[in-house]
Amino acid sequence: MDTPYTFDLNNPDFIPDRYDNHIRRTLTAMRGQYLDTAAFEAMLAADDQLLYEVYEFHRPHEPGELLHGISIVHPGKVGDEYFMTKGHFHTVLDTSEVYYCLKGEGYMVMETPEGDWAAAELRPGKALYVLPRWAHRSVNTGAGDLVTLFVYPGNAGHDYGTIEQQGFRKLVVERDGRPEIVDNPRWGSKQ
Ligand code: F6R
Ligand code: ZN
């Protein structure tokens, strides 16, 4: 079908009423990404828990297209570190992305290959523009789901390998019951 379409998010969980692809990432997909490897292995041994889900629409991977969908990060922690997405650079580094937070609370943690970093708070009603060159990872610091709508260019592609290798410069951890952004002591080393 190649006609303009709408989709409906008018339900409490913001699950679209139509989509082409449903990605489910469990703990297994995040091996090496959490700082507390002992906590990670203990959780995985007990249950390969579902961490986040993405609902996507199939559109051609061409510059004129805008890929879009819904990302849902569930609440929880591995050790002190909140549940989060893998995070990535876009393969075409000079491509950007827009996020709109529909539900929950958290941060978008971002960084550039040049060494800059930023963390943007996500709350319902907040929109975020992730500039070209900035790797991005959603982190859920709340008690419920963190739900965002995302839109990015069709030709962006995903480079997961760089983050798998070096991690993000900053981690979001719970300290005295509140989220705090701290240095990643393992940044740059092979995870
Ligand atoms: C697309 C994008 C989001 C993420 C989604 C899951 O470029 O940034 O749609 O893909 O939030 O995160 P990742 O892809 O890092 O597993
Ligand atoms: Zn992206």
Side-chain angles (χ1 to χ4, degrees):
M1 266 279 276
D2 229 14
T3 52
Y5 57 84
T6 61
F7 54 96
D8 197 324
L9 299 170
N10 194 19
N11 62 83
D13 295 325
F14 294 100
I15 295 170
D17 65 339
R18 50 154 297 192
Y19 52 85
D20 298 317
N21 195 25
H22 180 197
I23 299 166
R24 304 170 89 255
R25 292 222 213 270
T26 62
L27 273 174
T28 303
M30 297 297 285
R31 174 162 267 129
Q33 292 302 304
Y34 286 99
L35 186 62
D36 189 339
T37 49
F40 177 89
E41 294 303 336
M43 279 178 77
L44 184 57
D47 178 24
D48 190 10
Q49 232 177 298
L50 180 64
L51 302 186
Y52 65 98
E53 306 178 60
V54 181
Y55 294 90
E56 292 180 328
F57 296 84
H58 281 155
R59 294 299 310 164
H61 290 188
E62 292 167 4
E65 293 277 349
L66 293 172
L67 303 181
H68 52 282
I70 297 292
S71 166
I72 302 177
V73 184
H74 297 300
K77 283 176 293 167
V78 175
D80 291 337
E81 209 176 343
Y82 296 99
F83 283 1
M84 60 193 184
T85 59
K86 281 169 80 79
H88 55 265
F89 287 94
H90 289 163
T91 312
V92 179
L93 254 185
D94 279 317
T95 55
S96 55
E97 185 154 350
V98 168
Y99 278 85
Y100 182 68
C101 182
L102 295 159
K103 185 179 179 178
E105 51 193 86
Y107 287 92
M108 188 70 75
V109 178
M110 297 166 280
E111 68 184 47
T112 67
E114 289 73 33
D116 298 311
W117 70 273
E121 249 193 295
L122 297 173
R123 292 278 184 283
K126 278 221 187 243
L128 164 67
Y129 181 53
V130 180
L131 268 68
R133 304 185 73 76
W134 287 74
H136 41 285
R137 159 181 283 169
S138 319
V139 183
N140 183 352
T141 59
D145 286 345
L146 174 67
V147 184
T148 51
L149 169 81
F150 59 83
V151 183
Y152 64 102
N155 65 323
H158 294 111
D159 163 18
Y160 290 105
T162 304
I163 296 299
E164 280 167 8
Q165 288 281 315
Q166 69 190 26
F168 273 80
R169 289 168 186 272
K170 299 287 173 179
L171 308 177
V172 187
V173 297
E174 188 184 75
R175 293 273 187 271
D176 303 322
R178 292 164 45 90
E180 219 173 276
I181 297 163
V182 299
D183 286 339
N184 176 3
R186 282 209 326 243
W187 186 84
S189 62
K190 190 147 178 5
Q191 295 282 301

